[in-house]
Amino acid sequence: MARTPADLVGAQPDPPFPVTFDGRTVTALHGQSVAAALWGAGILAWRTTRNGGRPRGAFCGIGQCYDCLATINGEPNRRACLVPARPGDAITTQEGHGRAGLGV
Amino acid sequence: MPDSVSEFQESHGLYDLAVIGAGSAGLAGAVAAAELGLSVALLDTSTHTGGQFYRHPAPAVGAVRPEALHHDWSAYSDLRRRLAESEVRHLPGHHVWSVTRGEEDGDFWAVHAVTGADGDGERPVRVRARAVLLATGAYERQLPFPGWTLPGVVGAGGAQAMLKSGLVLPGRKVVVAGSGPLLLAVASSLAAAGARVPAVVEASGYLRYARHPRALVTNPHKAVEALTHGAALLRHRVRVRVRSAVTEVHGTDRVEAVTVTRLDRDWRPVRGTGRRIECDALAVGHGLVPQIELATALGCTTRSLPDGTRALALDDLQGTSVRGLWAAGEAGGVGGVQLAYTEGELAGVAIAAQVLGSPVHGGRVRELKRRRGRMRAFADAMATVHAPGPGWPRWLRDDTDVCRCEEVTAGRIHEAVEDLGARDARTVKLLTRAGMGWCQGRMCGAAVACLASRGGTAEPPLERRPFATPVPLAALAALDAPVVDEPRDPS
Ligand code: FES
């Protein structure tokens, strides 16, 4: 029984589109967040921590934990679980501070 | 709408009510108030209504059967229809970071938000209203354990949220662990969506519900819910292990297996009982924490819940201790979707009565109050059953990260408590930076408070944060001239 989430809800999505993750092409669906697109491609980590340089990805999935921060089209510190994926997005691993200030 | 209200609006550009959060409670409150004649603004961070419980894919995903991942979808679709038919102004993609008392002419509230998918500020917005209903929901409580920062370990609620909105899974073989009824719901949706779930690991025991017979008997729908999930788990051959916890995650770059250990009644791991389960993801969560910082910033009174979290103290019509500020749903204590609907509606009716200066309609309100009382009793029983036992810190090692953002280990917190005399989460924070990172202690707050209490009763973290969401400096700079969202001219 090779059921998928898409089968379960009878999804008939618009055609998928490409985005890149660290230069490699990944397919996303319209309406998916960047984090969901990455999970869909089996990618669970897209950030390294500031002190230990350890890999992290989405944890809370609802915008609370900030573990999913990614650099999207050159802009660091975006919460990948909230930002929708758009055709042609270039997502890159965010290292440490992500270069930009916190904004708070 | 009575003339006096519309005239007031016209001259002041005010909504009668601003509802923060478009989940079950917020939707029910907004619709009820609007149907009674109030002008209502409904702000939510997400593009869609429904909150976390009714999270669903964007229309572009073309889900023909979104209800396959939901419980009681018709209740939500009904509210959604009423919202569409109402005059409520829905403001999606609005991240509220602060609520303040209006200064100029007194009796109104200013709700400050930044817009954009993650609030990465397209523009600051200010909504002014005579009353505010906080329906901000909850987030997941996490207790740390060795390996919980490894990719592949995700929040149980997080896995559910990503599945419901993005139709994706964190792995093929997912262990579900922690405590609370959410675990059963998460495990059954993961299994239905094609994941293998080798085990659900619950730190408490379900038999403990038997100590709350009244709450069980008066809330039969809760038993039905549990049975539904239980049957689904049986069908998918998911084993439920009670009085056990995942005490270690194995793997170098991502999850490869977990160790499940038996717990004693205080949640202390029982030596020699660890068993390894192969998996490629772990969905974990220990209940929910009410999200109340907008209210605590305004000085609203809080109350401690039996599971050591803090919720808003509310009167019998959902009013907070601050006049004109109301709350419904999880912000007043975690109790499930039906309770959220009930409280939302009750608040909407009560606010309408106050704004219009009319009496609260007796029969309907009495019925709503009765339902609320019954479900609150169940919520309290649930919080008692799943309250973390004092022995859980025994599964930490000195090098286990407790604060994920600032990478503060259990060893350093231990030092702050034992050697430097820290007795509460705030002091630990000042000494170690635990809770000072991006999430402002949302992920580690409960654990740090518990560690600081050295096995005594932990004082729940105050849930005080200067900003409810990070705000770009540009948005603060533009505060003098924000976009002001006002009700449409009622004529
Ligand atoms: S996964 Fe927690 S903020 Fe995105």
Side-chain angles (χ1 to χ4, degrees):
Chain A
M1 190 185 64
R3 181 155 232 195
T4 67
D7 291 344
L8 179 67
V9 298
Q12 295 163 358
D14 297 345
F17 58 86
V19 298
T20 60
F21 172 65
D22 287 345
R24 138 186 179 204
T25 302
V26 166
T27 356
L29 291 177
H30 291 274
Q32 270 183 333
S33 65
V34 166
L38 293 174
W39 274 26
I43 299 164
L44 288 170
W46 51 84
R47 176 171 88 86
T48 57
T49 58
R50 281 172 299 171
N51 302 327
R54 309 249 284 283
R56 296 280 175 83
F59 182 66
C60 75
I62 63 165
Q64 295 288 343
C65 74
Y66 297 82
D67 249 339
C68 67
L69 297 179
T71 301
I72 302 175
N73 302 325
E75 201 185 324
N77 295 327
R78 303 299 308 270
R79 274 177 283 173
C81 69
L82 299 182
V83 179
R86 304 214 189 279
D89 275 347
I91 303 145
T92 45
T93 293
Q94 170 163 330
E95 274 159 37
H97 283 277
R99 299 181 300 278
L102 262 119
V104 274
Chain B
M1 200 182 300
D3 277 352
S4 59
V5 172
S6 10
E7 272 165 29
F8 186 83
Q9 251 169 249
E10 251 172 303
S11 54
H12 291 73
L14 278 179
Y15 285 94
D16 293 321
L17 171 64
V19 180
I20 304 173
S24 309
L27 268 180
V31 168
E35 286 170 355
L36 289 166
L38 299 201
S39 61
V40 180
L42 173 61
L43 298 94
D44 194 88
T45 55
S46 174
T47 334
H48 314 291
T49 58
Q52 299 312 331
F53 192 83
Y54 287 114
R55 243 167 110 98
H56 53 281
V61 176
V64 191
R65 294 186 300 274
E67 70 278 10
L69 276 168
H70 287 93
H71 215 64
D72 210 1
W73 179 257
S74 62
Y76 166 65
S77 45
D78 182 50
L79 275 180
R80 192 164 62 170
R81 180 188 48 76
R82 283 166 64 198
L83 178 73
E85 287 165 2
S86 77
E87 301 267 300
V88 173
R89 175 111 159 93
H90 178 210
L91 300 169
H94 279 60
H95 301 251
V96 175
W97 57 272
S98 175
V99 176
T100 52
R101 256 283 183 221
E103 285 137 36
E104 305 120 58
D105 38 9
D107 219 12
F108 67 85
W109 297 98
V111 176
H112 305 275
V114 283
T115 60
D118 60 348
D120 204 22
E122 279 142 43
R123 57 192 186 122
V125 173
R126 192 178 68 184
V127 171
R128 304 193 315 156
R130 305 173 78 186
V132 171
L133 172 58
L134 298 163
T136 41
Y139 55 89
E140 200 158 35
R141 166 162 54 190
Q142 296 294 344
L143 298 177
F145 47 88
W148 78 305
T149 52
L150 206 60
V153 179
V154 300
Q160 180 88 323
M162 296 275 284
L163 173 57
K164 284 178 173 177
S165 62
L167 303 181
V168 286
L169 298 167
R172 294 168 172 282
K173 212 170 166 190
V174 191
V175 169
V176 178
S179 193
L182 179 69
L183 300 185
L184 299 178
V186 170
S188 62
S189 23
L190 291 175
R196 279 195 49 211
V197 181
V200 174
V201 185
E202 162 64 59
S204 283
Y206 299 114
L207 285 177
R208 299 180 68 187
Y209 278 98
R211 285 189 216 148
H212 307 271
R214 249 197 84 69
L216 281 183
V217 171
T218 51
N219 290 273
H221 63 282
K222 287 290 178 190
V224 173
E225 231 173 85
L227 283 179
T228 315
H229 292 311
L233 295 180
L234 270 183
R235 209 168 45 247
H236 294 289
R237 291 199 215 93
V238 175
R239 285 200 50 187
V240 180
R241 290 162 192 264
V242 292
R243 295 200 172 286
S244 303
V246 167
T247 49
E248 185 167 5
V249 180
H250 310 278
T252 39
D253 298 324
R254 56 162 304 161
V255 176
E256 287 162 19
V258 297
T259 292
V260 173
T261 306
R262 294 267 308 156
L263 301 180
D264 70 11
R265 20 178 357 96
D266 289 334
W267 290 30
R268 250 189 311 259
V270 178
R271 233 178 246 287
T273 59
R275 280 196 43 187
R276 199 179 153 104
I277 299 181
E278 308 294 316
C279 59
D280 58 3
L282 168 67
V284 63
H286 291 85
L288 302 175
V289 184
Q291 194 165 331
I292 57 176
E293 58 255 338
L294 290 171
T296 51
L298 288 162
C300 289
T301 309
T302 58
R303 67 183 184 110
S304 290
L305 303 180
D307 67 349
T309 56
R310 205 178 270 279
L312 295 178
L314 302 174
D315 67 21
D316 66 340
L317 289 172
Q318 303 298 130
T320 70
S321 62
V322 173
R323 208 182 129 74
L325 203 62
W326 311 67
E330 321 271 54
V334 174
V337 66
Q338 268 112 356
L339 179 57
Y341 283 139
T342 307
E343 291 193 342
E345 185 179 340
L346 182 56
V349 173
I351 295 166
Q354 192 180 80
V355 170
L356 302 171
S358 57
V360 198
H361 183 283
R364 172 114 175 265
V365 165
R366 257 198 308 281
E367 167 60 15
L368 288 168
K369 282 188 190 170
R370 202 182 54 76
R371 270 169 34 202
R372 182 192 52 192
R374 168 167 63 72
M375 289 190 278
R376 274 273 161 239
F378 188 85
D380 282 349
M382 194 173 80
T384 311
V385 167
H386 296 284
W392 72 264
R394 297 289 185 95
W395 68 52
L396 296 173
R397 284 195 314 240
D398 269 356
D399 64 352
T400 308
D401 274 332
V402 172
C403 169
R404 297 173 69 93
C405 300
E406 294 293 316
E407 297 165 85
V408 182
T409 59
R412 284 185 47 214
I413 293 176
H414 202 68
E415 230 172 70
V417 173
E418 295 300 325
D419 305 344
L420 306 172
R423 286 292 171 272
D424 56 28
R426 215 180 88 84
T427 317
V428 173
K429 175 170 156 175
L430 294 175
L431 293 169
T432 66
R433 292 194 61 79
M436 270 193 194
W438 275 98
C439 88
Q440 288 289 293
R442 284 182 181 89
M443 294 304 119
C444 68
V448 171
C450 182
L451 294 174
S453 77
R454 306 162 95 193
T457 323
E459 188 53 20
L462 280 175
E463 302 295 339
R464 268 202 191 189
R465 298 178 180 98
F467 298 100
T469 186
V471 183
L473 280 176
L476 291 182
L479 257 187
D480 288 340
V483 178
V484 178
D485 195 291
E486 291 181 358
R488 285 189 206 100
D489 193 334
S491 58

